[in-house]
Amino acid sequence: MKTSKLFRAVLFDMDGVLVDSERYIAEAAIAMFRQTYNTEVDPKTFLPFVGTGEDNFISGVGKLYNISLTMPRDKERTYEIYEELVHGHLKEINGARAFVYACKRSGLAIAIATSADKRKMMTNLRELGFQQEDFDATVHGAEVKNNKPDPEIYLKAAQKVGIDPGDCLVVEDAVRGIESGKAAGARCLGLTSSFDAKALLAAGADYVAADLEEALKNPPPDLFQALGGFLH
């Protein structure tokens, strides 16, 4: 039986959780490979690297095509293209704002724990109309030594908000992100924006939903109880 211990904090991944950005960063990286290396890469080759930060996201695909990237130049070019693509077009994952503000109203601590660099994190927040100060803490990829699935990023986010990881709910869309949250000792809500429910559950997700709108409307009974009804 799953615990019904109340959560005291919610730790959000960003891409694929709060913001519908995964396709844009893939498009940006594809354009970078085309412009810089005259190579067309298959969008599907990025999937194993989703949620691990842009260094891995780009260089991992580069290795598949036997390309030795020049970093950070190629990453910065990818971010430049990304910013052009998302300006005025980036959308929230359904229910993201409502979920974040429900957490805030209930007094839960909230944090962002994203493998992306600060540049991309701030771009996403700006496009969604959030301020960094809307969150009690943020942790981005440059602040940790070990990428997901290592638990470092969620341990650091929990430390920043002053809450034991076991009292935190991690919200993730990636298999490696779920593995990271579970390794940190948190319970995890997996959103099926990047991976299907079967893959997220196999990675250890305690709960699964299509998006945060669904989590608001139809929370599993034990999740609703654990959150003390804050979803409504």
Side-chain angles (χ1 to χ4, degrees), residues 1-78:
M1 180 180 295
K2 292 179 180 177
T3 180
S4 59
K5 184 179 180 182
L6 291 179
F7 293 110
R8 298 174 59 204
V10 181
L11 313 178
F12 296 93
D13 177 44
M14 174 167 274
D15 299 286
V17 169
L18 296 177
V19 59
D20 187 13
S21 56
E22 299 291 8
R23 67 184 179 94
Y24 289 112
I25 192 63
E27 288 178 20
I30 289 168
M32 183 279 294
F33 277 108
R34 182 185 303 120
Q35 295 172 7
T36 309
Y37 298 101
N38 196 30
T39 299
E40 291 293 332
V41 301
D42 185 343
K44 294 179 182 177
T45 58
F46 290 99
L47 190 59
F49 308 105
V50 169
T52 64
E54 269 64 61
D55 287 75
N56 283 339
F57 189 76
I58 299 168
S59 62
V61 171
K63 289 177 183 177
L64 295 177
Y65 286 85
N66 296 314
I67 297 172
S68 295
L69 275 69
T70 300
M71 300 291 266
R73 182 201 67 184
D74 292 340
K75 180 174 66 173
E76 291 304 311
R77 178 56 186 149
T78 300

Side-chain angles (χ1 to χ4, degrees), residues 132-146:
Q132 189 172 2
E133 294 73 22
D134 289 330
F135 297 85
D136 297 295
T138 62
V139 184
H140 56 77
E143 295 181 81
V144 296
K145 294 181 180 179
N146 303 297

Side-chain angles (χ1 to χ4, degrees), residues 6 15 47 60 80 93 97 118 128 134 146 154 184 186 205 215-216:
L6 291 179
D15 299 286
L47 190 59
E80 289 174 2
I93 292 291
R97 285 188 183 87
K118 184 176 182 179
L128 289 184
D134 289 330
N146 303 297
Y154 284 115
L216 281 167

Side-chain angles (χ1 to χ4, degrees), residues 102-179:
C103 291
K104 288 174 69 70
R105 286 195 303 271
S106 71
L108 293 172
I110 56 173
I112 289 175
T114 176
S115 297
D117 286 5
K118 184 176 182 179
R119 176 176 179 175
K120 186 183 177 197
M121 180 184 77
M122 296 306 294
T123 296
N124 288 348
L125 288 173
R126 182 174 62 252
E127 290 294 322
L128 289 184
F130 281 123
Q131 301 293 323
Q132 189 172 2
E133 294 73 22
D134 289 330
F135 297 85
D136 297 295
T138 62
V139 184
H140 56 77
E143 295 181 81
V144 296
K145 294 181 180 179
N146 303 297
N147 295 316
K148 300 172 185 178
D150 189 276
E152 181 182 0
I153 195 165
Y154 284 115
L155 291 173
K156 188 161 190 171
Q159 181 183 43
K160 278 193 171 186
V161 297
I163 304 294
D164 186 274
D167 295 330
C168 296
L169 174 68
V170 162
V171 187
E172 267 283 355
D173 69 309
V175 165
R176 292 190 181 187
I178 294 291
E179 292 171 346

Side-chain angles (χ1 to χ4, degrees), residues 192-206:
T192 58
S193 49
S194 298
F195 293 84
D196 62 26
K198 183 178 180 180
L200 296 172
L201 289 168
D206 299 277

